Amino acid sequence: MNQEEKVMSSGYEASSVEVQNVIIEWAKAAEAFHQRYGKLTEVINVLQVTARRNPGANKAKLRRLVALRQHMSDALMTLLLDMSGQKPGRSAQPSKPGQLRSHTCLLDELNREIDAELVSFSNVAQA
């Protein structure tokens, strides 16, 4: 029986501080993601109005931004479903710190991609 206990206890167990830090990182990344999503939507709305007024407007940029926003929506929905355990054939289980860390990395990556697009839009708008 002691050998079974050793096998069961040999797995890594995250400390409460580690879990708390991961949750805080995830919350910050999620908040930044939502803010950027709002900014991206504003930029898309401006470009759509411009495209209606000026048919020669940069529609490729508008399509790229709309595609990025759709990608963001898809990623967010996937993360939410992943965290809720609502996948077919999967019993509901709480998210684990490693899962939250990978979600945080994905959100950070999307945030950088959005920032790059928003910066390029700002540079074009200023010119």
Side-chain angles (χ1 to χ4, degrees):
M1 188 93 168
N2 282 342
Q3 194 169 10
E4 285 180 22
E5 289 177 10
K6 286 180 184 178
V7 171
M8 292 178 72
S9 65
S10 67
Y12 174 75
E13 184 76 26
S15 72
S16 60
V17 172
E18 289 174 310
V19 172
Q20 182 180 4
N21 287 339
V22 168
I23 291 170
I24 289 170
E25 288 174 16
W26 180 86
K28 287 178 181 177
E31 179 62 28
F33 182 81
H34 287 291
Q35 289 174 355
R36 284 170 177 85
Y37 188 91
K39 288 179 185 177
L40 185 61
T41 298
E42 289 175 16
V43 168
I44 288 170
N45 290 340
V46 167
L47 288 175
Q48 286 173 333
V49 168
T50 303
R52 281 187 223 119
R53 291 182 186 160
N54 180 7
N58 191 350
K59 292 185 180 183
K61 177 76 171 176
L62 177 60
R63 282 192 298 274
R64 190 169 57 247
L65 293 177
V66 169
L68 177 58
R69 184 175 61 180
Q70 183 60 49
H71 178 65
M72 292 172 66
S73 296
D74 294 345
L76 186 59
M77 187 58 67
T78 300
L79 295 180
L80 291 174
L81 287 173
D82 190 31
M83 291 177 68
S84 70
Q86 298 299 315
K87 289 185 178 179
R90 179 176 162 189
S91 62
Q93 39 182 272
S95 293
K96 296 183 172 127
Q99 187 179 20
L100 286 178
R101 187 171 306 283
S102 67
H103 290 180
T104 302
C105 291
L106 176 61
L107 290 173
D108 285 340
E109 181 182 322
L110 285 170
N111 287 338
R112 283 190 295 276
E113 190 175 339
I114 296 162
D115 287 345
E117 289 295 332
L118 292 176
V119 166
S120 70
F121 174 76
S122 297
N123 291 341
V124 168
Q126 289 174 0

